[in-house]
């Protein structure tokens, strides 16, 4: 008799057969025990060996990444100063090598050049002596050799190591000295072109007598809407002429309210005997 599931859907029947085979295989391997080997913790001796190896590699300036992978553990103050002067004024510099211009600046800013025993010419000669012929820069090792050459000239009374140590201390911790911004020098040509008293034409109208700009009034013709002609010189004087001064509020004209020469508020003069003056 044919399987009804197989007749209805062959894919469903195939999936059922696969699940049955998986169940049989699982039942076969369920009786065999599986052995697990526990991980052993590292012994104390192995931990000590690793620590000693790491310390030795750090003291030699190498890492455990293998031969050829060197990472500096600590940058000395001398090397830090070398890098600061090496990248000065050059955005593309990496700090690993130094140009002759920066080498001269280092010797000048750190006081190695005194003008007597060590001059700028001596600095250039030593730079040319220590650098490679095909290079225009010096490395840090060549830099130390150049400092040793100058130290013997700078401190003649001391031994080689003492003189070199003195120059190293002069350079350690120093950085390039940045001077003030360069000021523009006033030249006669610039002064003549910027003197507003010598301007002519429309340019002269843009500045007042003190040399200050007038703004929009110096660029645009302002229209006078006051109603006066351009040649009239008594602007505002007419109102002062026709306006009469007025007294305090409430006061009338002199003599108002009475007749004769009596004081204000007095009645008419009284009649006296013949020939008598009025009171």
């Amino acid at each position: 008799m044919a399987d009804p599931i197989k007749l209805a859907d062959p894919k469903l029947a195939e999936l059922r057969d696969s699940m049955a085979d998986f169940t049989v295989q699982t039942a076969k391997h369920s009786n065999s025990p599986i052995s697990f080997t526990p991980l052993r913790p590292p012994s104390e001796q192995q931990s000590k060996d690793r620590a000693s190896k790491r310390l030795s590699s750090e003291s030699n300036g190498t890492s455990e990444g293998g031969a050829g992978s060197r990472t500096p553990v600590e940058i000395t103050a001398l090397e830090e100063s070398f890098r600061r002067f090496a990248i000065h004024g050059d955005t593309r510099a990496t700090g690993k090598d130094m140009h002759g211009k920066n080498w001269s600046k280092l010797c000048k800013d750190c006081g190695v050049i005194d003008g007597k025993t060590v001059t700028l010419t001596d600095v250039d000669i030593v730079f040319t002596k220590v650098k490679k012929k095909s290079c225009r820069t010096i490395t840090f090792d060549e830099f130390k050799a150049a400092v040793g050459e100058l130290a013997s000239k700078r401190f003649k009374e001391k031994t080689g190591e003492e003189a070199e140590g003195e120059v190293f201390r002069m350079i350690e911790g120093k950085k390039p000295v940045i001077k003030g911004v360069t000021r523009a020098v006033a030249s006669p040509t610039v002064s003549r072109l910027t003197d507003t008293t010598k301007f002519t034409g429309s340019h002269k109208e843009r500045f007042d007598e003190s040399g200050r700009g007038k703004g929009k009034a110096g660029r645009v013709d302002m229209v006078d809407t006051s109603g006066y002609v351009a040649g009239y010189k008594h602007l505002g004087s007419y109102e002062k002429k026709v306006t009469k001064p007025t007294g305090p509020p409430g006061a009338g004209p002199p003599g108002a309210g009475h007749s004769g020469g009596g004081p204000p508020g007095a009645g008419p003069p009284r009649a006296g005997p013949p020939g008598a003056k009025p009171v």
Side-chain angles (χ1 to χ4, degrees):
M1 184 177 180
D3 191 352
I5 298 178
K6 188 173 183 180
L7 294 175
D9 192 351
K11 293 183 179 180
L12 184 60
E14 184 178 357
L15 179 60
R16 186 191 61 179
D17 296 340
S18 300
M19 293 178 63
D21 294 340
F22 178 74
T23 305
V24 173
Q25 295 294 333
T26 305
K28 289 182 179 180
H29 294 284
S30 61
N31 297 328
S32 59
I34 300 176
S35 60
F36 294 95
T37 304
L39 297 176
R40 293 180 299 175
S43 61
E44 184 178 357
Q45 184 64 27
Q46 291 177 350
S47 300
K48 291 182 179 180
D49 294 341
R50 288 184 179 180
S52 61
K53 184 178 179 181
R54 179 173 57 83
L55 292 175
S56 62
S57 62
E58 289 180 357
S59 62
N60 294 331
T62 59
S63 61
E64 295 183 2
S69 59
R70 303 182 62 85
T71 55
V73 178
E74 182 181 359
I75 299 176
T76 61
L78 181 64
E79 188 174 358
E80 182 65 25
S81 298
F82 172 81
R83 292 187 178 185
R84 289 176 180 175
F85 280 93
I87 64 176
H88 177 70
D90 189 0
T91 57
R92 296 177 297 177
T94 60
K96 296 181 180 180
D97 47 12
M98 180 182 295
H99 289 275
K101 179 183 66 176
N102 293 359
W103 158 252
S104 301
K105 181 173 179 58
L106 182 145
C107 295
K108 183 178 179 181
D109 293 349
C110 296
V112 179
I113 299 177
D114 59 351
K116 297 179 180 180
T117 57
V118 178
T119 61
L120 185 61
T121 305
D122 297 330
V123 170
D124 295 337
I125 293 174
V126 170
F127 180 84
T128 307
K129 180 180 179 181
V130 299
K131 77 177 185 66
K132 297 179 181 179
K133 294 183 179 180
S134 60
C135 297
R136 300 176 60 183
T137 58
I138 58 174
T139 60
F140 181 66
D141 294 335
E142 294 170 346
F143 163 77
K144 291 191 293 185
V147 171
E149 292 283 342
L150 295 178
S152 59
K153 295 184 177 182
R154 185 71 164 77
F155 302 98
K156 297 180 179 180
E157 68 280 0
K158 297 183 179 182
T159 61
E161 294 182 358
E162 293 179 354
E164 189 174 350
E166 287 291 336
V167 178
F168 282 166
R169 282 189 289 271
M170 295 171 63
I171 300 175
E172 289 177 352
K174 298 295 181 63
K175 58 183 179 180
V177 177
I178 301 176
K179 298 182 180 179
V181 181
T182 305
R183 298 181 180 178
V185 179
S187 62
T189 305
V190 177
S191 300
R192 180 175 58 84
L193 295 176
T194 56
D195 188 1
T196 58
T197 60
K198 298 180 180 179
F199 288 178
T200 58
S202 60
H203 300 285
K204 183 179 181 180
E205 302 297 331
R206 300 181 61 180
F207 300 91
D208 56 10
E209 296 178 357
S210 62
R212 187 172 183 179
K214 297 181 180 179
K216 186 177 180 181
R219 302 189 303 269
V220 181
D221 293 335
M222 307 298 292
V223 180
D224 186 8
T225 58
S226 62
Y228 292 91
V229 295
Y232 187 69
K233 300 180 180 180
H234 303 286
L235 179 63
S237 61
Y238 177 76
E239 287 79 1
K240 296 180 181 180
K241 292 180 180 180
V242 300
T243 303
K244 295 182 180 180
T246 57
H258 68 280
S259 60
R270 294 175 294 176
K277 295 181 180 181
V279 179

